[in-house]
Amino acid sequence: MGQPNPVAVLDKAVAILRAVADEPASLAELVVRTGLPRATAHRLATALEGHRMLRRTAAGAWAPGPGLAELGRGGADLAELAGRHLPTLRDATGESAQFYVRDGGSRVCIAAAERAHGLRDTVPVGARLPLTAGSAAHALLAFAPADEVTGLLPSASFTARTLLDVRRRGWAHSIAEREPGVASLSAPVRDGSGGVLGAVSISGPIERLGRRPSPEVVSAVLEAAVAISRAAR
């Protein structure tokens, strides 16, 4: 059996991208719009999702991903955009601030602003953390398709009810899930169609951040999420 023709594969991938340009598509709709076999459409769409050229909507359909928008901005990528707003969040809350994106079954810190002094929770840029613990994981998974979440819940430090609460109130809070003594607060960053681009987060010692975050801290995190969302559009 011969090797796949790279140009033919590229043509099919472009066909999938064009198929979702105006409206998200389920797998069945991708097949209809592109004329590709179901297995081929699924394989290529999944690969494009892995490269962030496609993303999943809350309903599980494929839509244009943040990677396309980053290319269109001529290099002003999501990490750079988030990085512009994290120092403001850090200064407003007094806690270390991070921005995470989902990568398969993990979350990756792509931007951070650390406290200059005092006890801090340091998460270096490039750190890969599990999607099974921490408020950023809650924020990233709360709006994901159910079939992507179900397999993670048995090993997670949170429940399906936790994610429902995040969907309802728009932010997430965790106490010592990822690391003993550390609390965190996160909010999803959405694109223009409601898809989740990533999660903005603050983290610090429980004694300082508190077991129940203050309205002022919650507002600061939500404002940062809105600011990054607007900058990314």
Side-chain angles (χ1 to χ4, degrees):
M1 188 173 181
Q3 294 295 319
N5 183 332
V7 174
V9 172
L10 178 60
D11 288 342
K12 293 171 183 176
V14 171
I16 288 176
L17 293 174
R18 291 186 183 280
V20 303
D22 296 322
E23 185 179 357
S26 66
L27 178 57
E29 289 166 336
L30 274 183
V31 170
V32 171
R33 295 179 194 177
T34 63
L36 294 171
R38 184 181 181 89
T40 300
H42 183 269
R43 174 172 55 82
L44 291 176
T46 300
L48 288 167
E49 183 182 3
H51 288 286
R52 301 173 66 240
M53 298 295 109
L54 293 182
R55 62 167 180 82
R56 294 291 191 107
T57 67
W62 275 290
L68 288 175
E70 290 165 12
L71 290 175
R73 286 193 295 268
D77 64 15
L78 193 54
E80 179 185 346
L81 294 174
R84 296 174 189 170
H85 296 276
L86 293 184
T88 300
L89 176 60
R90 175 199 59 200
D91 296 343
T93 63
E95 303 296 346
S96 299
Q98 305 88 28
F99 188 82
Y100 296 95
V101 295
R102 183 179 176 185
D103 185 13
S106 304
R107 55 185 168 107
V108 179
C109 178
I110 64 169
E114 299 293 346
R115 285 170 52 96
H117 305 288
L119 189 62
R120 56 185 176 177
D121 176 50
T122 301
V123 180
V125 172
R128 182 177 294 271
L129 302 175
L131 274 175
T132 51
S135 65
H138 304 180
L140 291 170
L141 289 178
F143 301 90
D147 60 340
E148 296 182 15
V149 177
T150 302
L152 294 170
L153 288 177
S155 57
S157 301
F158 50 86
T159 66
R161 175 57 186 270
T162 305
L163 302 183
L164 287 174
D165 288 342
V166 175
R167 289 178 67 94
R168 173 180 54 81
R169 68 191 181 195
W171 54 273
H173 184 228
S174 68
I175 300 291
E177 280 190 13
R178 180 177 62 83
E179 186 175 339
V182 174
S184 67
L185 180 69
S186 303
V189 172
R190 318 290 289 274
D191 64 15
S193 61
V196 174
L197 297 173
V200 63
S201 180
I202 58 171
S203 57
I206 296 172
E207 292 77 9
R208 196 169 59 221
L209 191 54
R211 292 185 174 275
R212 181 170 295 180
S214 70
E216 293 78 14
V217 169
V218 172
S219 293
V221 173
L222 291 175
E223 288 170 7
V226 170
I228 297 170
S229 176
R230 287 174 177 167
R233 294 179 186 177

